[in-house]
């Protein structure tokens, strides 16, 4: 809701990694690590091989990010395998993730707005996402956009919470 940000300058945009300048890539990386849900190993490389990034700045401070990633085949197969559905992995080119909002702005719908913009970019593609079973706002957002749970939960490496795989096929997409 824009009324929450009266008197503040909000800037939201979507870019490919190639369109980002070094500062944007650094800011994305820093906020992603601050979210404390990703493993830093090869993170710069994984960031640069993504498809799209979403950024939201409030008064020139980066407050929320999200991404459409292009996972390597091993990573993708492993995530589906851990959910007991490895045969499905080949049908999904993109992964939605790296959704982080600074704590003081959570619950204001910023990430949901970025997510909607990102999903519009991959409307004609099958996509998957993995989230903690504790992340109720993200689960609601995924379900709103036609994502369905697939397989069983499994324990994450970075965060010791149960993770759930969600899939969305292009003919299931919500509005």
């Amino acid at each position: 809701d824009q009324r929450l940000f009266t008197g503040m300058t909000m800037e939201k945009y979507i870019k490919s990694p190639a369109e980002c300048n070094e500062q944007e890539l650094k800011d994305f990386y820093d906020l992603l690590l601050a979210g404390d849900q990703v493993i830093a190993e090869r993170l710069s490389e994984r960031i640069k091989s993504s498809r799209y990034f979403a950024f939201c700045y409030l008064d020139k401070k980066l407050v929320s990010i999200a991404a459409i990633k292009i996972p390597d085949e091993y990573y993708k197969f492993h995530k589906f395998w851990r959910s007991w559905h490895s045969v499905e992995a080949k049908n999904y080119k993109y992964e939605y993730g790296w959704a982080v909002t600074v704590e003081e702005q959570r619950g204001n719908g910023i990430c949901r707005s970025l997510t909607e913009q990102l999903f519009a970019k991959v409307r004609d593609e099958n996509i998957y996402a993995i989230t903690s079973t504790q992340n109720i706002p993200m689960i609601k957002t995924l379900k709103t956009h036609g994502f369905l749970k697939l397989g069983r939960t499994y324990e994450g490496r970075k965060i010791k919470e149960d993770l759930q795989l969600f899939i969305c096929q292009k003919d299931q997409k919500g509005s």
Side-chain angles (χ1 to χ4, degrees), residues 146-164:
F147 281 74
L148 304 170
K149 287 183 185 180
L150 181 67
R152 67 179 184 139
T153 62
Y154 61 92
E155 186 177 44
R157 280 180 37 196
K158 173 71 177 173
I159 56 171
K160 299 300 182 193
E161 295 177 2
D162 285 342
L163 300 179
Q164 178 69 57

Side-chain angles (χ1 to χ4, degrees), residues 31 63-65 99-107 110-111 114:
L31 185 52
V63 296
S64 190
I65 56 172
V100 177
T101 301
V102 297
E103 193 166 345
E104 62 270 15
Q105 294 300 334
R106 290 181 189 158
I110 297 171
C111 191
L114 294 179

